[in-house]
Amino acid sequence: MDAELVDKAVSGDRRAFGQLVERHYDFVHAVAWRWSGNAADAEDIAQDVCVRLGSAIRGFRGTSRFRTWLYTLTLNAARDHKRRQMRDTCRMQAYASEQAVLGGGQTGEDEHQEALWTAVRALPEKQCDAVLLVYAEGMSHAAAADVLGCSEATVSWHVHEARKRLKTLLGKEAV
C-alpha cells in the first residue's frame, strides 16, 4: 500500500501525500523521541520531517524501502535539530551559566537509564547513531548499516567503540 501512495505522492497527489504523513507520523515521532530524548524536541523534529518530506518526496527513487528512506530523513532532521540546540546553548552560555536540573521522583533505575541515554547522545555522531539504531530501535547491524549508508562491519565497529567510551564515561558496564 505504501508503494502505491508513494508513487502518487511523488507525482504530486496531495491526498496520497497526506495519507503517507498520517500513516507514518507516529513512527517519525517515535524515532525523533529516541534520538532527542525529549518529547518537545521530538515534536519539533517530527514537524520538521513533515515539512521536509513535502519537497523531498519527489526525490524518492525507490532504491530502498520508503520506511528506511523516511528513517534516514528523520535521522538527518534529528541531527540538524541537535546542531541547532548546540548553537543555541553556546549562545545562552555566553550570557549566563545554566544548570541542568533533573526533576525529582526518579527511581535509581530511571536515573541510571537517563544517564546512560544522555551519555549515548553525547557520543560522537556516528557512534551515537549506531548505538541508537541497534539498541534503542532494536535493529540488526545489517539494517542499521542500510539506514546509515555504510557496511555492517562499520556499524559493529561504531557500537564497539561506543561501548568502550560509555564504560569510561559511566565508570561501569554500559549498553
Side-chain angles (χ1 to χ4, degrees), residues 45-127:
I45 293 165
Q47 292 296 319
D48 188 37
V49 169
C50 291
V51 170
R52 289 181 187 195
L53 188 58
S55 59
I57 191 73
R58 293 184 191 270
F60 179 70
R61 299 290 172 237
T63 56
S64 64
R65 289 184 18 230
F66 176 74
R67 194 168 175 109
T68 301
W69 180 79
L70 185 58
Y71 207 113
T72 303
L73 190 68
T74 305
L75 178 61
N76 288 335
R79 287 175 177 157
D80 291 346
H81 185 79
K82 184 176 181 180
R83 285 185 204 106
R84 271 193 306 275
Q85 280 186 318
M86 290 172 76
R87 283 192 304 266
D88 291 347
T89 300
C90 288
R91 286 185 195 121
M92 294 283 284
Q93 287 175 347
Y95 294 107
S97 63
E98 284 182 346
Q99 283 189 331
V101 178
L102 291 174
Q106 288 185 318
T107 65
E109 181 62 25
D110 289 342
E111 289 173 358
H112 172 72
Q113 288 294 319
E114 182 64 29
L116 174 62
W117 291 113
T118 298
V120 166
R121 286 188 286 275
L123 291 170
E125 187 174 288
K126 290 180 181 183
Q127 290 176 11

Side-chain angles (χ1 to χ4, degrees), residues 1-11 16 20 57 60 62 66:
M1 181 94 177
D2 273 353
E4 186 179 320
L5 286 175
V6 169
D7 287 343
K8 288 180 180 179
V10 167
S11 299
L20 271 177
I57 191 73
F60 179 70
F66 176 74

Side-chain angles (χ1 to χ4, degrees), residues 7-27:
D7 287 343
K8 288 180 180 179
V10 167
S11 299
D13 185 329
R14 290 181 183 197
R15 179 184 284 169
F17 177 78
Q19 288 175 329
L20 271 177
V21 169
E22 199 172 304
R23 174 177 283 177
H24 293 282
Y25 185 83
D26 290 342
F27 165 75

